[in-house]
Amino acid sequence: MSKLRRQLSANTTNVVEPKNLFDIKQRTGNLYESIAIIAKRANQINISIKEELHNKLEEFASHTDSLEEIHENKEQIEISKAYERMPNPALLATQEFIEEKIYFRKNEEDLFS
């Protein structure tokens, strides 16, 4: 099992659960800033998952397969189904943020002054 999939399947469910907004706001002091950080991390997770999936499916790629061979590749189907069952990257990023596993920094320069 890949490093990313072990990290993802550790303690996050695939079910959306309500989160306390105070917990999300607490680390940055601003709810919208916290959500922006979570969104950026979710994008990073999504890119990593896509790259990993494409690398695994690339092993099965053959440009000379007939239609029957493509539909009968059970290993490829199982890999795809496993990735479909994985939790949403936004859920993973939110969980990481609440558990304080995400590093972020603020730009102290005032952009509008």
Side-chain angles (χ1 to χ4, degrees):
M1 190 187 305
S2 70
K3 179 181 173 185
L4 181 63
R5 286 188 63 202
R6 271 184 267 132
Q7 172 194 355
L8 299 178
S9 63
N11 60 358
T12 306
T13 63
N14 203 11
V15 179
V16 177
E17 299 171 351
K19 304 291 183 195
N20 188 349
L21 292 181
F22 180 76
D23 294 340
I24 294 174
K25 179 183 172 184
Q26 187 175 2
R27 287 191 60 202
T28 61
N30 185 336
L31 179 63
Y32 299 105
E33 186 176 350
S34 297
I35 291 173
I37 292 167
I38 291 169
K40 288 178 184 180
R41 177 62 183 142
N43 191 30
Q44 291 173 345
I45 292 170
N46 192 32
I47 290 169
S48 299
I49 290 172
K50 280 185 181 181
E51 286 176 358
E52 185 177 333
L53 176 61
H54 287 296
N55 289 339
K56 287 187 177 189
L57 292 179
E58 203 170 88
E59 296 172 9
F60 298 103
S62 177
H63 303 292
T64 60
D65 285 344
S66 67
L67 256 171
E68 292 82 26
E69 291 173 353
I70 292 173
H71 291 295
E72 293 177 2
N73 197 341
K74 294 191 186 297
E75 291 176 10
Q76 183 178 1
I77 293 170
E78 288 301 316
I79 290 173
S80 296
K81 285 184 180 180
Y83 276 88
E84 287 175 4
R85 287 188 297 264
M86 291 174 76
N88 185 309
L91 296 175
L92 296 169
T94 304
Q95 187 67 29
E96 286 181 2
F97 187 80
I98 289 173
E99 294 174 357
E100 298 184 4
K101 294 182 179 178
I102 297 177
Y103 170 77
F104 64 93
R105 61 181 177 191
K106 293 183 182 180
N107 188 0
E108 297 300 326
E109 264 183 48
D110 213 3
L111 296 176
F112 300 107
S113 42

